[in-house]
Amino acid sequence: MNPDHKEITDVFEIINKCVETYSKVDTNTEMVIGDKINYLKTVKGDPLVGKRTEYKLIKHPFWHEEQTMRESETLFGENSINSFHKTESIFDTLRIVKL
């Protein structure tokens, strides 16, 4: 996540475009705007039985989830969440979006 690394200078832009595309493909998922990285929010369940909110993060495949969560306030802002339902890599998501 070091912005000085030239090979990942556009990684936040790529992730944010993936999040935007993913949210358009899956109508039950909405994009949440973060300070540097946007993420996905899905509300699942039934109003009578109960609902739960799941958050998904699209990350670079070499990022460690623990480090990403330690940096969450910097990446997502003051209202960042404590955990994600499933952390997906960019490559996994690109495969999903291409379908």
Side-chain angles (χ1 to χ4, degrees):
M1 287 188 282
N2 185 341
D4 295 331
H5 292 245
K6 301 295 183 211
E7 65 275 8
I8 62 167
T9 54
D10 60 348
V11 73
F12 295 151
E13 182 182 338
I14 293 169
I15 289 171
N16 290 336
K17 286 183 183 204
C18 287
V19 168
E20 182 180 1
T21 302
Y22 196 115
S23 68
K24 289 178 181 177
V25 171
D26 183 353
T27 57
N28 296 323
T29 302
E30 68 180 80
M31 178 173 59
V32 179
I33 305 295
D35 284 357
K36 293 182 180 177
I37 298 178
N38 302 332
Y39 54 94
L40 300 160
K41 174 183 174 182
T42 305
V43 177
K44 296 188 173 190
D46 183 272
L48 298 174
V49 179
K51 293 184 177 184
R52 72 179 191 277
T53 304
E54 293 180 354
Y55 297 95
K56 289 185 179 181
L57 168 66
I58 297 173
K59 67 174 186 66
H60 190 283
F62 296 140
W63 289 357
H64 296 284
E65 290 184 38
E66 299 82 21
Q67 177 67 25
T68 304
M69 294 315 300
R70 280 195 297 272
E71 300 285 334
S72 65
E73 192 169 322
T74 302
L75 296 171
F76 313 115
E78 289 182 10
N79 298 324
S80 65
I81 60 173
N82 294 329
S83 64
F84 288 93
H85 178 260
K86 178 183 176 191
T87 306
E88 300 184 34
S89 77
I90 294 173
F91 297 129
D92 291 340
T93 303
L94 286 176
R95 246 183 270 128
I96 291 169
V97 171
K98 284 183 179 181
L99 296 176

